[in-house]
């Protein structure tokens, strides 16, 4: 995992804060008149303490698991209070580091009271005579409070920076996935129906006993459909390119006419729709026309778009439904394409109805305009 820039800066600031503060304590301990073994023990503790502190404060992706930080918190408490009693006032700085670790490890409801107790323990030890200090209880209290707030602020900002960085990466991944999903859908709708129209027109020309002139005309129509398909592919690959509902209706008319299916279409003039509604209606039109070309031998198709003050209704109706049960690809709720369309329509608060009656197959999508 790559560390965000804010986490690296925060980690560097924490290293300077911890090492600098403990360095001052180490110089004070080394200059003390204590026994050599006592000074050596104090310096040894000072070597272990930075590792424990940085393990507690490290921001992501260097942050240790929660249960490990609980264990380090207990070790840090021992390394704070035992030397404080042994070496007296020289270790008061570590109270602030412990209070900061408490606020970063414990749940928010409990961290503040416990951290305040840790900060107040310094003046309490001085007043009870456990620790002999010439600096006074107020100095110990302010020193611990300033250190704790600094440690908490730097580490918390690093956590926020890491979460923001992760959210940014997640947003980029979702945008990429949405773009791929849109491209797959467009390939299925635009290119798929165009290729089906090419196949249908070519098969009709092969089955018919036509003259050379008729064959040439059929080949010209197939070539025109191929060029249109190329334009559709170019449209899909162009970022930000979109089709209006009128363009899609004209395209559906062209595909149906070329495949030998009569078509009647009606579209209200000056129709202004929301982008999401337009995209959903385009998908319904794509799927309905694609199913007609691929799964039926319809001779006529009616496309009607009717707008009311509160909703808009698109109906695609053809006479190619077989007698008996509809085929699986066009059966209500069974086809993969129609099932996906149903979910998109419902997501916009609309309804999708697929019906078969007297060799008439219809798909009706109703969407609210609010």
């Amino acid at each position: 995992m790559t560390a965000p820039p804010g986490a690296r800066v925060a980690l560097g600031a924490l290293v300077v804060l911890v090492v600098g503060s403990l360095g001052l304590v180490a110089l004070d301990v080394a200059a003390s008149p204590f026994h050599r073994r006592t000074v050596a023990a104090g310096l040894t503790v000072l070597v272990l303490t930075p590792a424990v502190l940085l393990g507690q404060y490290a921001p992501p992706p260097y942050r240790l698991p929660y249960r490990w930080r609980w264990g380090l918190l207990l070790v840090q408490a021992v390394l704070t209070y035992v030397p404080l009693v042994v070496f007296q006032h020289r270790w008061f700085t570590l109270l602030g580091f412990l209070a900061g670790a408490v606020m970063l490890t414990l749940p928010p409801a409990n961290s503040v009271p416990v951290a305040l107790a840790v900060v107040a323990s310094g003046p309490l030890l001085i007043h009870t005579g456990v620790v002999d200090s010439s600096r006074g209880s107020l100095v110990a209290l302010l020193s611990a409070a300033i250190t704790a707030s600094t440690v908490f602020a730097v580490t918390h900002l690093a956590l926020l920076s890491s979460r923001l960085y992760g959210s940014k990466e997640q947003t980029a991944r979702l945008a990429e996935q949405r773009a791929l999903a849109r491209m797959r859908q467009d390939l299925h709708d635009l290119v798929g129906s165009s290729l089906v129209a090419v196949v249908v027109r070519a098969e009709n020309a092969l089955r018919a006993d036509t003259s050379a002139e008729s064959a040439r005309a059929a080949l010209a129509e197939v070539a025109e459909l191929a060029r249109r398909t190329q334009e559709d592919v170019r449209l899909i690959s162009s970022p930000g390119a979109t089709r209006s509902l009128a363009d899609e209706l004209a395209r559906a008319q062209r595909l149906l006419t070329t495949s030998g299916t009569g078509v009647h279409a009606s579209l209200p003039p000056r129709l202004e729709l929301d982008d999401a509604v337009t995209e959903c209606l385009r998908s319904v039109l794509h799927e309905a026309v694609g199913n007609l070309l691929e799964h039926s031998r319809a001779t006529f198709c009616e496309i009607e778009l009717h707008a009311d003050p509160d909703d808009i209704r698109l109906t695609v109706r053809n006479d190619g439904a077989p007698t008996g049960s509809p085929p699986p690809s066009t059966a209500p709720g069974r086809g993969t394409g129609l099932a996906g369309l149903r979910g998109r329509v419902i997501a916009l608060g609309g309804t999708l109805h697929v019906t078969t009656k007297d060799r008439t197959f219809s798909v009706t999508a109703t969407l609210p305009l609010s």
Side-chain angles (χ1 to χ4, degrees):
M1 178 179 178
T2 304
R8 293 194 292 267
V9 173
L11 183 60
L14 287 172
V15 170
V16 172
L17 178 63
V18 171
V19 175
S21 300
L22 294 182
L24 294 176
V25 177
L27 292 176
D28 199 5
V29 171
S32 63
F34 293 160
H35 190 273
R36 183 177 300 176
R37 291 182 179 178
T38 306
V39 174
L43 294 178
T44 301
V45 172
L46 283 172
V47 171
L48 298 176
T49 303
V52 175
L53 294 180
L54 293 177
Q56 277 286 95
Y57 304 145
Y62 316 106
R63 197 165 179 78
L64 295 175
Y66 187 68
R67 62 179 183 276
W68 286 33
R69 287 187 284 119
W70 262 103
L72 289 178
L73 185 63
L74 297 177
V75 174
Q76 184 178 351
V78 173
L79 292 177
T80 298
Y81 284 104
V82 172
L84 184 62
V85 175
V86 175
F87 299 111
Q88 302 295 310
H89 65 86
R90 298 176 180 85
W91 293 77
F92 271 124
T93 303
L94 297 184
L95 289 176
F97 288 111
L98 180 60
V102 166
M103 288 191 291
L104 293 170
T105 305
L106 269 64
N110 303 325
S111 61
V112 175
V114 176
L116 291 176
V118 172
V119 172
S121 64
L124 182 62
L125 291 174
I126 294 176
H127 281 291
T128 57
V130 177
V131 176
D132 183 16
S133 174
S134 59
R135 299 180 181 179
S137 58
L138 182 60
V139 174
L141 180 67
L142 292 177
S143 175
I146 292 173
T147 303
S149 59
T150 302
V151 167
F152 176 77
V154 173
T155 307
H156 191 64
L157 288 176
L159 290 173
L160 292 179
S161 174
S162 299
R163 290 168 185 164
L164 181 62
Y165 185 80
S167 299
K168 184 178 178 180
E169 286 191 333
Q170 181 67 11
T171 301
R173 284 194 294 267
L174 289 176
E176 182 180 359
Q177 291 174 2
R178 283 195 295 266
L180 291 175
R182 173 184 172 273
M183 183 172 293
R184 287 193 297 266
Q185 184 68 35
D186 287 343
L187 285 173
H188 174 271
D189 293 336
L190 294 175
V191 181
S193 57
S194 297
L195 292 178
V196 168
V198 170
V199 172
V200 170
R201 186 66 185 93
E203 288 179 346
N204 289 338
L206 289 174
R207 283 195 297 264
D209 186 10
T210 59
S211 62
E213 190 65 28
S214 298
R216 181 181 295 274
L219 288 176
E221 291 179 0
V222 171
E224 178 62 22
L225 283 172
R227 278 193 294 269
R228 294 287 185 178
T229 304
Q230 184 182 19
E231 293 178 3
D232 291 338
V233 172
R234 187 180 296 111
L235 178 66
I236 294 173
S237 60
S238 299
T242 58
R243 282 181 181 265
S244 67
L245 193 57
D247 292 338
E248 292 303 330
L249 184 59
R251 175 182 174 277
Q253 288 179 289
R254 185 180 66 252
L255 290 177
L256 292 171
T257 302
T258 304
S259 63
T261 303
V263 58
H264 175 266
S266 61
L267 180 68
R270 294 185 178 181
L271 187 62
E272 296 183 1
L273 300 174
D274 183 79
D275 291 342
V277 174
T278 301
E279 184 66 25
C280 186
L281 292 177
R282 284 177 56 235
S283 299
V284 173
L285 184 57
H286 292 157
E287 186 67 26
V289 172
N291 281 346
L292 185 155
L293 293 173
E294 187 172 0
H295 302 294
S296 74
R297 290 295 180 261
T299 60
F300 182 78
C301 177
E302 181 182 4
I303 303 173
E304 180 185 5
L305 187 66
H306 180 74
D308 291 326
D310 298 327
D311 55 35
I312 185 168
R313 182 175 68 256
L314 173 66
T315 301
V316 182
R317 186 181 300 109
N318 68 81
D319 61 353
T323 57
S325 301
S329 59
T330 58
R334 294 178 63 183
T336 304
L338 291 177
L341 287 180
R342 193 183 302 277
R344 296 180 66 173
V345 171
I346 293 176
L348 295 178
T351 58
L352 182 71
H353 295 290
V354 182
T355 58
T356 303
K357 182 179 180 181
D358 298 333
R359 295 190 58 82
T360 300
F361 180 79
S362 63
V363 178
T364 303
T366 305
L367 295 173
L369 294 178
S370 58

